[in-house]
Amino acid sequence: MRLRLVPENTNWDFFRYARYTLGASILAVVLSLAAWAFIGLNFGIDFRGGTTIRTESAQAIDIGTYRDALQPLELGDVSITQVFDPGFGADRNVAMIRIQAQEGEESVAADLVANVEAALQTVAPDIRFTSVESVGPKVSGELILTAIYALGAAIAAILFYIWLRFEWQFSVGAVAALMHDVILTIGVFSVLQIRFDLATIAALLTIVGYSINDTVVIFDRLRENLIKYRKMELRDLMNLTVNETLSRTLMTSGTTLVALIALLVLGGDVIRGFVFAITWGIVVGTYSSVYVAKNIVLMLGVKRDWSRPDKTTAGTQFTTSGDDA
């Protein structure tokens, strides 16, 4: 007995509103880019430079009191946030204090960290620093460039791979879907002001890998059906392909999301941003595999008879002569 999330034989029309779904995706990308441009990202210490201090205390955290205690030190930009986690006991109060890199220094000096601890002990005598992480402005700038290069190289390699394995229309559709997923994820991080750090870059690369895997599975079935049903309209053929792979897509995404949601709820604040990025990426990645990648292939058209070369129309025709399989 096998578990099925969808009936064995489905005939849903995924491209009935192709123009609207593609238009909605384009609008979402534009809004995400606008949020990125006007709101900006909440860069973590990896990209901004400075020092992050994690504190613990049995005494309840009062962010205003903490800020007042640090005010005389004139540290510049200081961000204080309380960390909530289901696994914390009532006597475990955790805060994250982010201090910008001081002028002329690569990071906050050790003596200044000691001054910060002394200042906070005046309002929370039992406070202790469980971790202190520092990144210099020069290093953070290099990390941003490296992250951009990593994403660009991954997408370029995928573009080349899909182009070799299929046709150029498939490559364009796959890369458009990947860019859609990455930009929407960045847009959500911008709107919600979730911390954007190196862990988020790792999540984006994971999203790229997951999304292209889902897209290639459907592309493989589509290529088989292009040979099998040579006279079927491309739109109907693509609907058939998506319906045939629908159970696999939902089972793969669903089981992955179960594990991710558990990590999102119980995994703690350290990995929460990373897990949220992957969770969001899987949702939009599953959507884009059909409603972005396949919509673009449908618009561009594909070569229909893969059993023989067609030098004049290869890769541009919706139909060619031949018999139905």
Side-chain angles (χ1 to χ4, degrees), residues 59 125 248 300:
Q59 183 175 324
R248 177 264 171 201
L300 295 176

Side-chain angles (χ1 to χ4, degrees), residues 13-15 169-170 219 221-227 229-242 293-306 315-320 324:
D13 189 353
F14 289 93
F15 300 97
Q169 295 95 330
F170 290 81
F219 276 172
R221 180 61 63 88
L222 176 59
R223 183 169 59 176
E224 294 172 3
N225 287 338
L226 284 169
I227 300 172
Y229 304 102
R230 299 176 186 172
K231 294 180 65 177
M232 184 182 292
E233 289 290 336
L234 183 60
R235 181 177 180 276
D236 296 333
L237 184 61
M238 295 183 72
N239 257 321
L240 173 65
T241 300
V242 176
K294 306 306 176 294
N295 269 344
I296 290 177
V297 173
L298 181 62
M299 291 171 56
L300 295 176
V302 293
K303 176 180 174 180
R304 296 305 308 272
D305 190 352
W306 288 75
T316 61
Q317 298 299 309
F318 278 72
T319 59
T320 59
D324 286 343

Side-chain angles (χ1 to χ4, degrees), residues 6-60:
V6 295
E8 185 172 358
N9 296 310
T10 60
N11 189 29
W12 297 338
D13 189 353
F14 289 93
F15 300 97
R16 182 178 181 182
Y17 303 105
R19 292 182 180 179
Y20 300 105
T21 54
L22 186 59
S25 296
I26 294 173
L27 178 61
V29 168
V30 171
L31 292 176
S32 295
L33 291 173
W36 187 3
F38 293 104
I39 302 176
L41 292 169
N42 178 23
F43 285 115
I45 204 69
D46 297 332
F47 295 140
R48 294 179 62 182
T51 298
T52 297
I53 302 172
R54 182 184 176 99
T55 73
E56 285 192 16
S57 173
Q59 183 175 324

